[in-house]
């Protein structure tokens, strides 16, 4: 493995001069007969340096208060006071993109998985009321392609801009023998903060609270092992027309990035009355909503109140996937759930809509068994519009 400089970090010295000085210090016999090189072993340091130079402007485009100082060395710095916090609690999250990466690799569409990477981390932070501040990425591959690497990091930078956090560092690892030709993996690490008094824990959720759902942009980044199995069963190629998305290929439709809900959720918190959020990832609503409910409460969701994007009907039909399995594998049209006080529901809905979200009143909180649960009734993957 070769450790390359984090994107956005400046070099402390001219590497060409350093390289020449290092070479001149060796005996002439060694200079004329260098033997095996790192490149002979499959690692191209020059390609890594080229990628670092290509992505520096991308990282700079994500800078924000607290992360706008000159960077250098081996670690990334962030100034919480400069970011405006007085009594902050740090919140952190790490995640990957999962097997959705295989679609990016097989289609050559690398632009969007970086957005997914940020979304999976930053959406988890805002659930706790935290503002994402900084992001670090890990990009590992068998052989570095500067073009693909730049497209991936461009997506990460776009995700950071959407989430309002700084791409403050990262690691690019070229590891021949660890990955098949063209394969790569991504991991992300995000740190956010909230004022101590504003942390969301779900402890104020009570029976009678309203449940709002924010529309998803598609499958997001969960369940892609099943998605790929269904595509295999369909015998469609990634370049074939998507049966559920006119004008797009199957690959283009399925690789649509995860929606980033950070700024709308922060706006909803500012409006007042938000008691909790649930990011709907693997496990769907049935398993993610209970994670924010206190004991003795139950979420009752009526699926007639929100439309289901056509991709989910296609997945259910083509794969013969049972409805309970659909609900616990996919988001099925709702990417984020907000639990709000009834008197605040209208104001929170208005805040979401002003921030560009499509909002549905999908249920309520009821007294329930000791362990929190979520029941989704009337789910029909073919329902393209909410019931009247």
């Amino acid at each position: 493995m070769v450790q390359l400089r984090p994107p956005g970090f400046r070099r402390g010295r001219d590497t060409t001069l350093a390289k020449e000085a290092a070479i001149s210090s060796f005996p002439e016999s060694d200079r004329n007969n260098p033997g095996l090189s790192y490149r002979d072993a499959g690692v191209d340091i020059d390609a890594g340096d080229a990628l670092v130079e290509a992505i520096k402007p991308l990282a700079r485009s994500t800078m924000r208060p607290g992360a706008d100082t000159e960077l250098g060395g081996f670690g990334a710095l962030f100034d919480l006071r400069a970011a405006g916090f007085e009594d902050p609690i740090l919140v952190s999250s790490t995640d990957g993109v999962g097997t959705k990466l295989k679609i990016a690799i097989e289609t050559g569409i690398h632009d969007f998985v970086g957005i997914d990477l940020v979304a999976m981390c930053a959406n988890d932070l805002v659930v706790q009321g935290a503002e994402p501040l900084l992001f670090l990425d890990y990009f590992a591959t068998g052989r570095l392609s500067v073009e693909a690497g730049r497209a991936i990091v461009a997506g990460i930078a776009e995700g950071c801009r959407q989430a309002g956090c700084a791409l403050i560092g990262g690691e690019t690892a070229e590891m021949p023998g660890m990955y098949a030709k063209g394969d790569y993996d991504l991991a992300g690490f995000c740190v956010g903060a909230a004022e101590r008094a504003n942390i969301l824990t779900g402890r104020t959720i009570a029976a009678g609270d309203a449940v709002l759902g924010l529309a998803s942009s598609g499958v997001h980044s969960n369940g892609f092992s099943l998605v790929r199995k269904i595509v295999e069963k369909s015998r469609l190629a990634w370049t074939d027309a998507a049966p559920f998305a006119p004008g797009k290929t199957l690959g283009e439709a399925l690789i649509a990035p995860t929606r980033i809900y950070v700024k709308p959720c922060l706006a909803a918190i500012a409006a007042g009355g938000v008691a909790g959020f649930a990011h709907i990832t693997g496990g769907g609503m049935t398993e993610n909503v209970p994670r924010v409910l206190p004991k003795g409460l139950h979420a009752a969701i009526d699926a007639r109140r929100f439309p289901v994007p056509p991709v989910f009907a296609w997945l259910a039909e083509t794969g013969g996937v049972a409805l309970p399995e659909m609900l616990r594998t996919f988001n099925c049209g709702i990417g984020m759930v907000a639990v709000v006080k009834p008197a605040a529901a209208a104001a929170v809905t208005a805040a979401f809509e002003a921030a560009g979200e499509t909002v549905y009143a999908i249920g309520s909180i009821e007294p329930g068994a000791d362990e929190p649960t979520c029941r989704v009734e009337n789910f029909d993957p073919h329902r393209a519009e909410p019931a009247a």
Side-chain angles (χ1 to χ4, degrees):
M1 182 179 78
V2 58
Q3 182 173 351
L4 304 176
R5 295 170 184 82
F9 273 43
R10 63 175 173 81
R11 297 181 183 182
R13 59 191 302 189
D14 188 301
T15 54
T16 301
L17 292 176
K19 187 186 298 183
E20 290 175 354
I23 291 174
S24 66
S25 67
F26 287 103
E28 186 174 352
S29 58
D30 288 343
R31 280 180 269 157
N32 295 332
N33 184 25
L36 284 174
S37 68
Y38 214 176
R39 179 175 290 182
D40 294 329
V43 179
D44 190 343
I45 295 176
D46 291 334
D49 287 343
L51 176 59
V52 171
E53 290 303 310
I55 63 183
K56 278 182 177 181
L58 298 172
R60 281 195 291 268
S61 73
T62 70
M63 291 299 101
R64 50 153 295 153
D68 51 4
T69 56
E70 186 71 16
L71 300 176
F74 292 89
L77 306 176
F78 192 93
D79 187 342
L80 283 169
R81 183 175 296 174
F85 289 91
E86 296 179 1
D87 186 20
I89 296 291
L90 293 179
V91 184
S92 61
S93 176
T94 185
D95 211 334
V97 180
T99 58
K100 188 176 184 178
L101 288 178
K102 291 295 290 183
I103 300 179
I105 292 164
E106 291 169 9
T107 61
I109 304 173
H110 305 289
D111 310 71
F112 301 130
V113 288
I115 299 176
D116 285 297
L117 185 66
V118 178
M120 297 307 290
C121 297
N123 284 342
D124 280 355
L125 291 188
V126 79
V127 161
Q128 310 232 222
E131 175 188 354
L133 301 175
L134 61 93
F135 191 86
L136 297 100
D137 68 279
Y138 176 78
F139 169 40
T141 185
R143 185 173 182 82
L144 187 60
S145 163
V146 175
E147 182 180 358
R150 190 194 182 284
I152 292 163
V153 179
I156 295 172
E158 172 59 24
C160 285
R161 288 190 292 270
Q162 290 183 25
C165 59
L167 177 57
I168 203 168
E171 162 75 350
T172 303
E174 188 174 26
M175 298 186 287
M178 284 290 290
Y179 298 90
K181 184 178 180 181
D183 279 359
Y184 60 84
D185 198 10
L186 292 175
F189 179 72
C190 195
V191 176
E195 297 293 356
R196 190 180 303 271
N198 298 333
I199 289 286
L200 290 179
T201 64
R203 64 182 179 273
T204 63
I205 295 175
D209 286 350
V211 179
L212 305 179
L214 305 186
S216 71
S217 56
V219 185
H220 286 186
S221 291
N222 296 101
F224 272 87
S225 293
L226 178 56
V227 169
R228 289 168 49 244
K229 197 75 175 176
I230 293 170
V231 170
E232 182 181 335
K233 182 179 179 181
S234 76
R235 298 181 180 273
L236 292 175
W238 298 122
T239 53
D240 289 339
F244 52 87
K248 292 185 177 181
T249 67
L250 185 61
E252 290 169 343
L254 287 175
I255 209 166
T258 304
R259 191 163 181 81
I260 295 177
Y261 298 102
V262 170
K263 293 179 181 178
C265 285
L266 292 174
I269 292 170
V274 173
F277 289 118
H279 183 203
I280 309 306
T281 54
M285 281 187 283
T286 56
E287 295 187 14
N288 282 291
V289 174
R291 295 170 62 182
V292 301
L293 300 180
K295 288 186 176 182
L297 293 179
H298 165 80
I301 307 296
D302 186 348
R304 293 175 298 185
R305 298 184 181 181
F306 61 88
V308 181
V311 61
F312 296 109
W314 182 80
L315 290 170
E317 285 182 5
T318 308
V321 184
L323 297 189
E325 186 69 13
M326 289 291 297
L327 285 167
R328 75 172 196 166
T329 303
F330 302 115
N331 66 65
C332 294
I334 298 296
M336 181 72 77
V337 163
V339 181
V340 304
K341 297 303 172 183
V348 170
T349 297
F352 277 134
E353 290 176 342
E357 294 301 322
T358 303
V359 190
Y360 302 97
I362 62 173
S364 61
I365 302 300
E366 301 175 348
D370 186 48
E371 289 302 316
T373 58
C374 176
R375 182 180 69 252
V376 180
E377 296 183 335
N378 304 310
F379 175 65
D380 178 0
H382 296 89
R383 184 178 291 110
E385 295 292 337

